[in-house]
């Protein structure tokens, strides 16, 4: 009998103001995979090139016109194959079929690549029947994504703080292997045996803690209709910061991680605690309207608003609020239109982490 299971991974917002590369939040938009593994055929051998059926991928939703459907080029399946090969399982099961239904916009600062990576790690774990502990799943994700904020939130869910452990010399070198060696680009003439021995991740790369979250707080995602790559958004950041700016962020992050779990939430405290001097000021040139939205929309002007910040690398702006969502969003639309930018908006909930569910046939 065929095996069918689903993998559901949430969108994420990283940084939440002062927590650059440190905190993340899982949100109610999802990448969902429906995976069908055919029942083994009597006498079939996955090592037999003539009989082997390569994976088939179908895709719907956000990014459907751009995502590679070749299992050796698609990010999720390449990550899955990396996990399998690190456990001496060289191939996908013959005849594997995967449908991806994606609601997470690409290049908008809502963790689309992090979701794809976590989906791949979970897919590899499930196909190989590996039963890896959560900490080890995170190690594999960090070998690909390299920043813990989005992938940790996508994996474990909620409001999460994370860091990369200081490793010994050997483990540090293993973790610094270039991404091109972890997930090599398969050349057009590559056979199934190409890239069989990837570098294994060291143990315990990432560590995290979940903070309390007041369930009355929801997240309004204000999504400009243009993409911004994380690489481009990082290129504008300075290599060094002043002590004053670092202390500014540390003070606010120390307050914010507790303030968002308190009841009732304090708008004045949270609004100030969500300010940032490490990344948002440098990205304003890439996101027309960012300074105006974050300064003109305040708890005083918009009752229900708690705080407002750039979501990840942007261009999405995240407003945390207990009400007044439409007024916040429509006033943000007006400000963005002054810059010639159109937006969409969604009210999202803070949700749990990734889920794998077996289907009974």
């Amino acid at each position: 009998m065929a095996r069918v299971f689903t993998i559901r991974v949430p969108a994420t917002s990283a940084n939440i103001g002062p927590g650059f590369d440190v905190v993340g939040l899982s949100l109610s938009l999802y990448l969902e995979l429906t995976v069908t593994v055919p029942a083994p055929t009597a006498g079939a051998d996955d090592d037999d090139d003539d009989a082997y059926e390569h994976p088939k991928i179908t895709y719907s939703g956000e990014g459907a016109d751009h995502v590679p459907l070749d299992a050796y080029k698609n990010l999720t399946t390449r990550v899955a194959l990396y996990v399998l090969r690190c456990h001496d399982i060289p191939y996908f099961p013959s005849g594997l079929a995967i449908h991806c239904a994606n609601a997470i916009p690409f290049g908008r600062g809502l963790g689309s690549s992090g979701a794809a990576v976590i989906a791949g790690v979970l897919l590899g774990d499930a196909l190989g029947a590996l039963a890896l502990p959560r900490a080890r799943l995170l190690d594999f994700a960090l070998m690909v994504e390299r920043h813990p904020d989005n992938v940790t939130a996508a994996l474990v869910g909620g409001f999460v703080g994370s860091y990369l452990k200081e490793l010994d010399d050997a483990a540090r070198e293993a973790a610094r292997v270039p991404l091109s060696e972890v997930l090599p680009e398969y050349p057009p003439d590559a056979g199934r045996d190409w890239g069989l021995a990837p570098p294994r991740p060291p143990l315990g790369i990432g560590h995290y803690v979940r903070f309390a979250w007041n369930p009355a707080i929801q997240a309004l995602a204000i999504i400009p209709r243009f993409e911004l790559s994380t690489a481009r958004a990082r290129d504008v950041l300075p290599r060094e910061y002043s002590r004053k700016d670092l202390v500014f962020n540390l003070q606010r992050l120390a307050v914010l991680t507790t303030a968002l779990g308190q009841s009732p939430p304090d708008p004045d405290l949270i609004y100030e605690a969500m300010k940032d001097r490490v990344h948002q000021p440098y990205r304003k040139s890439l996101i027309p309207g960012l300074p105006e939205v974050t300064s003109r929309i305040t708890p005083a002007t918009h009752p229900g608003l708690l705080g407002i910040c750039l979501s990840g690398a942007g261009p999405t702006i995240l407003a945390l609020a207990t009400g007044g969502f439409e007024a916040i969003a429509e006033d943000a639309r007006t400000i963005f239109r002054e810059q010639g930018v159109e937006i969409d908006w969604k009210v999202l909930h803070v949700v749990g982490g990734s889920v794998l569910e077996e289907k009974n046939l």
Side-chain angles (χ1 to χ4, degrees):
M1 180 179 292
R3 176 192 177 197
V4 179
F5 60 91
T6 60
I7 295 171
R8 198 172 191 228
V9 184
T12 51
S13 179
N15 305 331
I16 320 301
F20 178 68
D21 276 2
V22 176
V23 297
L25 195 62
S26 58
L27 300 170
S28 55
L29 290 174
Y30 294 93
L31 168 63
E32 184 166 333
L33 274 56
T34 301
V35 183
T36 303
V37 184
T41 304
D45 183 357
D46 283 350
D47 291 335
D48 183 349
D49 284 341
D50 293 332
Y52 182 81
E53 293 185 43
H54 288 277
K56 294 181 176 63
I57 302 174
T58 55
Y59 203 100
S60 62
E62 295 282 349
D65 294 336
H66 310 290
V67 171
L69 301 182
D70 182 331
Y72 303 99
K73 298 184 183 300
N74 180 278
L75 176 58
T76 294
T77 45
R78 287 168 67 202
V79 172
L81 190 58
Y82 168 58
V83 174
L84 289 171
R85 288 182 167 178
C86 283
H87 292 87
D88 301 317
I89 302 171
Y91 312 123
F92 291 114
S94 180
L96 176 69
I98 303 169
H99 178 70
C100 305
N102 180 41
I104 307 173
F106 283 16
R108 301 296 208 280
L110 289 169
S112 59
S113 64
V117 169
I118 290 298
V121 171
L122 295 174
L123 176 61
D125 184 57
L127 292 175
L130 303 175
L132 296 175
R134 182 177 281 175
R136 192 60 178 153
L137 296 172
L138 185 58
D139 287 339
F140 278 95
L142 288 171
M143 283 294 282
V144 179
E145 187 72 2
R146 306 292 168 110
H147 301 285
D149 42 11
N150 285 107
V151 290
T152 306
L155 180 63
V156 307
F159 182 30
V160 183
S162 55
Y163 67 84
L164 299 178
K165 180 182 176 182
E166 289 193 13
L167 305 170
D168 61 33
D169 289 344
R172 189 180 302 114
E173 287 305 309
R176 286 179 177 169
V177 170
L179 186 59
S180 60
E181 294 182 30
V182 176
L183 292 185
E185 291 285 348
Y186 283 73
D189 59 348
R192 288 194 302 145
D193 292 338
W194 194 85
L196 280 178
R200 288 172 167 78
L203 292 168
I205 302 175
H207 297 260
Y208 65 88
V209 64
R210 288 182 69 177
F211 303 116
W213 183 266
N214 183 333
I217 302 173
Q218 296 181 68
L220 170 64
I222 301 164
I223 309 170
R225 293 179 190 169
F226 66 88
E227 295 186 17
L228 176 60
S229 74
T230 301
R232 186 179 175 207
R234 282 188 176 272
D235 282 346
V236 300
L237 301 181
R239 292 185 176 274
E240 296 179 349
Y241 294 93
S242 70
R243 178 186 297 180
K244 182 179 179 180
D245 285 349
L246 292 179
V247 170
F248 179 96
N249 270 46
L250 289 170
Q251 289 173 334
R252 280 152 184 77
L253 182 60
V255 171
L256 185 66
T257 53
T258 297
L260 290 173
Q262 292 180 328
S263 183
D266 183 332
D268 295 329
L269 185 70
I270 293 171
Y271 182 80
E272 181 62 34
M274 284 179 64
K275 291 182 179 180
D276 163 77
R277 289 184 180 174
V278 168
H279 68 106
Q280 289 184 182
Y282 303 98
R283 289 169 167 167
K284 62 185 180 182
S285 63
L286 303 177
I287 306 167
L290 171 62
E292 293 82 3
V293 170
T294 54
S295 62
R296 286 162 55 180
I297 295 178
T298 71
T301 61
H302 293 75
L305 177 71
L306 300 173
I308 191 164
C309 64
L310 192 61
S311 179
T316 293
I317 289 177
L318 195 76
L320 301 182
T322 56
F325 302 104
E326 184 171 357
I328 296 167
E330 292 304 325
D331 283 354
R333 186 193 303 279
T334 299
I335 294 170
F336 271 114
R337 278 181 175 166
E338 293 170 1
Q339 305 294 326
V341 176
E342 292 295 330
I343 66 144
D344 300 297
W345 59 273
K346 301 175 186 290
V347 178
L348 304 173
H349 305 285
V350 176
V351 295
S354 298
V355 176
L356 186 147
E357 182 180 353
E358 298 280 350
K359 299 293 185 181
N360 295 319
L361 298 182

